[in-house]
Amino acid sequence: VTITGRTRLYAIIGDPIEHVRTPMVFNDYAARAGVDAVAIAIQIGAADIEAAWAGLGAMRNLDGFVVTAPHKGAAAGLCDRVEGAGLDAGAVNAVRREPDGSLTGTLLDGEGFVAGLRAQGIEPAGRRVFVAGGGGAGTALAFALAEAGVAALTLHNRTHGKAAALAERVGRAHPEVAVAVGAADASGHDIAVNATALGLSDDDPLAFDLQRVDPGALVAEVIMNPETTRLLREADARGHPIHRGRHMLEGQFGAMTRFFGLPLPE
Amino acid sequence: VTITGRTRLYAIIGDPIEHVRTPMVFNDYAARAGVDAVAIAIQIGAADIEAAWAGLGAMRNLDGFVVTAPHKGAAAGLCDRVEGAGLDAGAVNAVRREPDGSLTGTLLDGEGFVAGLRAQGIEPAGRRVFVAGGGGAGTALAFALAEAGVAALTLHNRTHGKAAALAERVGRAHPEVAVAVGAADASGHDIAVNATALGLSDDDPLAFDLQRVDPGALVAEVIMNPETTRLLREADARGHPIHRGRHMLEGQFGAMTRFFGLPLPE
């Protein structure tokens, strides 16, 4: 990347930031697409997001940025406008500067998860899918999987009421999908997804019981770090096909360039 | 440059920003020095500097930034601490993040001007120097030239009182230098410097009368864009050696890396 005073800026904000891969992925893309733009990683602590936000807004050649933990929820409240899945989840992970300087946010995790499945040859349409976790990621996945045409969707959350409220919203938006609330039991499903934060540490309990997952069912993860969580390791040992969290990130890159108004990747 | 989540950030802030060369110079240096750091150019409008400043302060992996027009004066007021020539001039062009997160600013223009002269084989010590302009740049140059050991320094400013006040301050700090206030007449000097903003446009009047410059005297400039101002063009036509504004920028790169705590350039 050769950076000049004319180079348009993109960024990823989060804390910690050392592990993010967006700058490499974006800068490889920009070089190949012939786009004079560069992405950097900016470390912003949770307590500093409001001050940082005003600063990001004042940087006129910053055309967009990716938002990662712990800022996805706060960023939704700071955007001038939230659209798409960002509205459903109350969280955003991509923010674009409009010509008038205002900031529009959206959440591409759900779209990325579905695209990531498809990139691995897994078509979710018509399948029965179990999702553990009713937070931002779970919400994004639930809406995107319903949109993608799954036959049935079972949502599980430790706090039952949260799963019930999410099921009600998804069911209302997608009456063609059989949406239900369930225990930590993925039996009877083709795909079982962990969309909780359990697995960031190897000592975490599993989000659902692997003994209850149907033989041959796909076990999927949204956690990217570690690349292979204990859930995936144990599912693999039991003979399940597995699907890593990084596919969700890789799957949303196309949607992200479209959201930013950049050329689509090859 | 390969940018990762661990890459330390540097920036130059200003408006307009398209013409700046800091990112190229810095990134070439970083690659050669093996420093995992990248510099970007950030466009910040004059009215947005306070909001942007809070944001820059919140970016924990931004280790330092260069300040250019129109922010040098405002930045001095926003720094937690100003040192060196920044105190003399009430303006800063380099800001460093301290381990405690506070921001320290300094002004390297004067040091850069002197280093730039020396890099071109011109030793200012013992010479008689005329400086037009008592603003930020003129102040920085006056102090740095006195520090460098010029024999005499004549300061000119359209507002006489401003030049007189500056001459008094420089003379007090450097009693060994003969500091005087003069008209727009550089006769009797070895070096005549334009440190005003006159010359940004080719239609500007000249900052001093070229007919009064001694034969063989060096005519120098702080304006970088255009690279060759009308003053330099006409001085060259009259047979004077000339010294461009870009040498001041090139001359301060070493001081800048030292201020940022980075390895010195080769």
Side-chain angles (χ1 to χ4, degrees), chain A residues 4 16 69 72 74 88 102 119-120 169 206 215 218 222-223 229 236 239 245 263:
Chain A
T4 75
K72 289 184 179 187
D88 299 322
S102 66
Q120 298 300 309
R169 288 164 62 210
L206 299 188
L218 179 79
V222 300
I223 289 174
T229 57
D236 181 58

Side-chain angles (χ1 to χ4, degrees), chain A residues 186-263:
Chain A
S187 61
H189 295 84
D190 306 307
I191 301 173
V193 191
N194 173 39
T196 74
L198 293 172
L200 285 170
S201 162
D202 224 51
D203 300 331
D204 291 339
L206 299 188
F208 50 87
D209 184 355
L210 280 174
Q211 301 194 353
R212 302 287 300 161
V213 178
D214 289 4
L218 179 79
V219 174
E221 180 65 90
V222 300
I223 289 174
M224 274 165 264
N225 196 12
E227 178 152 339
T228 306
T229 57
R230 185 160 71 88
L231 177 76
L232 293 182
R233 211 167 56 233
E234 296 190 4
D236 181 58
R238 287 172 169 275
H240 291 284
I242 62 171
H243 184 82
R244 292 187 170 81
R246 67 178 165 82
H247 298 304
M248 179 176 85
L249 190 69
E250 292 161 1
Q252 67 189 279
F253 194 70
M256 195 163 278
T257 58
R258 188 164 54 238
F259 177 72
F260 286 149
L262 291 167

